[in-house]
Amino acid sequence: MREATLMELIASAGQAKSLAYEALDKLAAGEVAAAEECLRQADALFTRAHQLQTELLQAVVGANDGVPQRQNESCEPDTVPWLLCVHALDILMTGMTEHNLIQRIVRLFRSRCMGL
């Protein structure tokens, strides 16, 4: 996996996480529609980050047989930036968890405070 792909995963997940928190700020200001738009944008970025995560996993482990694929030199442990990879996956997973929580908060606010 190239470093550029890992950096794209980190950037997409990080931006999505920021948008999720921006949605929370919009909600606190009473801007429900703007909060929902932030969450829609975050969804698109998390989808892209998840696609990149899947590509990473498929590069290391065969998509069909579960056997490590070492024919591709970019999958060799000494050439893959493993620390960057772990960081990318951590940002994606924590961001997705926080995003899901913020979505629930927006729905709760909508149903309890706005009667929608």
Side-chain angles (χ1 to χ4, degrees):
M1 181 59 54
R2 294 187 178 130
E3 285 187 38
T5 303
L6 289 169
M7 292 306 295
E8 183 182 352
L9 193 161
I10 291 169
S12 295
Q15 187 178 1
K17 182 177 174 178
S18 293
L19 280 164
Y21 278 98
E22 185 178 337
L24 200 53
D25 291 339
K26 299 282 186 190
L27 184 65
E31 301 172 29
V32 178
E36 290 172 335
E37 178 57 29
C38 286
L39 290 174
R40 278 191 288 279
Q41 291 175 22
D43 281 337
L45 288 163
F46 276 127
T47 297
R48 177 62 184 146
H50 193 262
Q51 289 169 340
L52 292 166
Q53 177 193 35
T54 300
E55 290 173 17
L56 170 66
L57 294 172
Q58 288 175 341
V60 175
V61 177
N64 297 322
D65 58 12
V67 176
Q69 302 296 304
R70 295 293 185 200
Q71 299 88 348
N72 181 346
E73 85 174 47
S74 68
C75 293
E76 291 297 327
D78 60 340
T79 62
V80 176
W82 288 106
L83 184 58
L84 188 58
C85 179
V86 169
H87 178 60
L89 298 179
D90 179 55
I91 289 199
L92 175 60
M93 298 315 297
T94 59
M96 290 176 80
T97 300
E98 292 165 355
H99 177 259
N100 289 337
L101 179 60
I102 292 168
Q103 282 181 317
R104 288 177 181 219
I105 291 169
V106 169
R107 284 195 304 267
L108 178 65
F109 179 86
R110 216 176 222 294
S111 68
R112 296 282 170 96
C113 298
M114 300 182 71
L116 301 175

